[in-house]
Amino acid sequence: GASGMDDEGELTAPMPGKILEVLVEEGQRVSSGDPLMIMEAMKMEHRIVASHNGIVDKIHYSAGEQVNQGAELLSLSDE
């Protein structure tokens, strides 16, 4: 959407877990489907992928940190 208010770019943790790896940096251009982070939850690895083309705006967690379900992991801005 053209409004700055939609949540399209919000990427949240599907469940509580731990960040294993951050695959991108702030300011990096990503395409829809690109892996952004890997987190571990319930002994399984979950890949967090870009929901749309954009630029990594802010990364909120780094590798090794615990996150709660629904925590915003990073945000993407539209190109």
Side-chain angles (χ1 to χ4, degrees):
S3 76
M5 296 300 294
D6 58 23
D7 282 352
E8 256 174 40
E10 307 308 310
L11 295 148
T12 56
M15 57 192 75
K18 184 170 120 179
I19 303 300
L20 291 183
E21 206 175 341
V22 179
L23 306 171
V24 293
E25 313 181 329
E26 290 178 7
Q28 184 173 330
R29 185 177 296 273
V30 295
S31 300
S32 179
D34 282 359
L36 305 175
M37 273 189 187
I38 298 174
M39 65 176 284
E40 181 185 53
M42 301 170 71
K43 304 279 186 269
M44 290 176 54
E45 287 188 10
H46 295 267
R47 277 157 41 113
I48 308 298
V49 301
S51 50
H52 62 278
N53 296 353
I55 292 164
V56 179
D57 188 35
K58 195 102 184 85
I59 296 173
H60 300 290
Y61 294 95
S62 49
E65 288 193 87
Q66 298 286 338
V67 295
N68 294 320
Q69 180 168 355
E72 187 182 345
L73 302 176
L74 66 170
S75 47
L76 285 185
S77 58
D78 292 331
E79 301 189 78

